[in-house]
Amino acid sequence: MPFLQVMSNRASHKFSLDNLPSLDLTKMKGTPNASLKDYLQALEIARSAQELAVIDSMPVALQQSVLAVLRYAAECDVADRKQITFSWSPAYEWGLHLWEARAVQGSASAITINLEGPYPEP
C-alpha cells in the first residue's frame, strides 16, 4: 500500500469525531516554524523514514496547505474542532482537493483533504 494511503488512514483515525475530544494538539501550538513533517511525526502519523521521505517529496505549496488546516484544527477550542478525513488518490502529478462541509442539524461540520500523488518508485 502506498505510504500516503497508510498515513491518510492514520490521520483520519486521529482526527475522527470519536478521537477529537481527546486528541492532544498542544504539540502543534507554539511552534510557528514547525514543518508538516514535524507535526505528522509528533502526532505519530508519519512513523518511518520512507514515510518522511514521501512528505519531503511533496511540493512545498501542498505541504503548507495541509499544515494550515492542521494548525487551524489545533487553534480551535476542543468543542469547535471539526473532523478531518484524509485520503490519497494516485495521480501523475501532485494535487490537493480540500472541502469543508458546514454543519446542519444532526450532522457536524467536517473537512476532507484529498492528496493526489504518484506511486512510490519500486
Side-chain angles (χ1 to χ4, degrees):
M1 184 183 305
F3 297 116
L4 281 173
Q5 182 62 49
V6 172
M7 289 186 283
S8 293
N9 292 345
R10 289 184 197 135
S12 291
H13 178 74
K14 292 258 185 197
F15 285 89
S16 69
L17 282 178
D18 293 335
N19 292 327
L20 276 179
S22 61
L23 183 60
D24 181 9
L25 295 176
T26 57
K27 301 168 189 164
M28 296 174 65
K29 294 181 181 179
T31 50
N33 295 326
S35 67
L36 176 62
K37 186 167 72 171
D38 295 332
Y39 284 145
L40 295 181
Q41 278 186 289
L43 293 169
E44 298 179 353
I45 293 168
R47 299 179 183 167
S48 70
Q50 294 96 335
E51 292 170 352
L52 296 172
V54 169
I55 296 164
D56 281 337
S57 71
M58 289 172 60
V60 174
L62 270 64
Q63 290 184 42
Q64 292 297 315
S65 298
V66 174
L67 184 57
V69 175
L70 295 179
R71 284 188 175 139
Y72 166 75
E75 292 168 2
C76 289
D77 292 332
V78 173
D80 296 330
R81 288 184 181 167
K82 294 175 174 61
Q83 172 175 303
I84 304 174
T85 301
F86 296 81
S87 62
W88 169 78
S89 302
Y92 181 74
E93 296 289 344
W94 288 96
L96 172 74
H97 294 271
L98 177 64
W99 300 272
E100 182 172 353
R102 62 184 166 84
V104 295
Q105 187 173 1
S107 178
S109 68
I111 296 170
T112 300
I113 298 172
N114 176 249
L115 284 169
E116 297 177 338
Y119 274 98
E121 294 294 323

